[in-house]
Amino acid sequence: LGGLLIIAVIVPLIEELTKSLAVPVVKWAERPMTRADAFLLGAACGAGFTLIEGITNGATALAQPEGWATAMTARSGVAVIHVLASALAGLAWHAGLTERNWRRAVGLFFAAVALHGVWNGGALITGWLALRSAGHTATVDVILGNLAAFAVVAGMGLVFVSSLIALAVIPGRLARQDANVQTAPRPELSAQEPGY
């Protein structure tokens, strides 16, 4: 349970907070940034992180060459999760710093952490169930463990596919929202109101 807390809660919290720091840096540099910009900058941060993590884990996995392909296949799904989670964290930074909507910012940030945490937790549980049943005969316990592992992997597959769809859909929707905000007519100033 301690390992699950660390892997599924603490690690995602730290990673999503730090991976997306490019968004507030750009904001503090006083460059204009739309929601779509923040989402895509966060996604780029997640892609860079997953590239470095993949290289590191790939090199480490070479210590056991017979398991390298399996390890890298298992790691491939997390690439999409890192990109989407960091994109949501980037959007959270934008909601807080630009829109001053801190409730939305906290909600988006915890959505990023939850997505990452669900993935990490699923990977840890699957690994634990596999180790638990390795080398044992097909007892009821082992069969139930294998069924549980299958259910967790299926759930992770659903998270993976949903994340791919979200990455394909969200940027376009944000860009359309940003365009609508930029083209919305501004209210006319009365003679008594100071100009902008």
Side-chain angles (χ1 to χ4, degrees):
L1 289 177
L4 191 59
L5 175 69
I6 291 168
I7 297 296
V9 178
I10 296 172
V11 168
L13 192 65
I14 293 168
E15 283 187 12
E16 297 318 323
L17 188 62
T18 56
K19 283 191 303 184
S20 58
L21 283 175
V23 175
V25 167
V26 170
K27 169 64 180 160
W28 291 326
E30 298 183 7
R31 294 198 54 186
M33 182 182 302
T34 64
R35 286 180 177 180
D37 294 336
F39 184 88
L40 293 173
L41 184 54
C45 293
F49 178 87
T50 202
L51 176 67
I52 299 301
E53 188 181 61
I55 290 169
T56 304
N57 287 322
T60 304
L62 285 173
Q64 296 178 334
E66 66 281 352
W68 185 86
T70 304
M72 290 301 94
T73 301
R75 296 269 334 141
S76 64
V78 78
V80 172
I81 304 307
H82 278 307
V83 172
L84 180 58
S86 293
L88 292 173
L91 204 51
W93 280 113
H94 185 273
L97 297 175
T98 302
E99 300 169 12
R100 301 289 185 216
N101 187 341
W102 293 102
R103 202 167 96 187
R104 183 170 187 264
V106 169
L108 284 165
F109 179 72
F110 280 107
V113 171
L115 172 67
H116 194 159
V118 163
W119 186 270
N120 283 5
L124 184 68
I125 290 169
T126 303
W128 178 73
L129 288 169
L131 286 174
R132 194 169 168 257
S133 65
H136 292 89
T137 58
T139 63
V140 172
D141 255 2
V142 171
I143 292 169
L144 289 176
N146 288 341
L147 288 174
F150 177 78
V152 171
V153 169
M156 290 173 71
L158 183 62
V159 169
F160 174 77
V161 170
S162 300
S163 296
L164 276 176
I165 292 168
L167 281 171
V169 171
I170 292 174
R173 291 188 69 188
L174 290 173
R176 284 189 294 280
Q177 288 173 359
D178 291 336
N180 289 340
V181 168
Q182 290 173 358
T183 59
R186 290 173 56 179
E188 292 296 322
L189 295 176
S190 69
Q192 299 164 347
E193 292 181 44
Y196 286 96

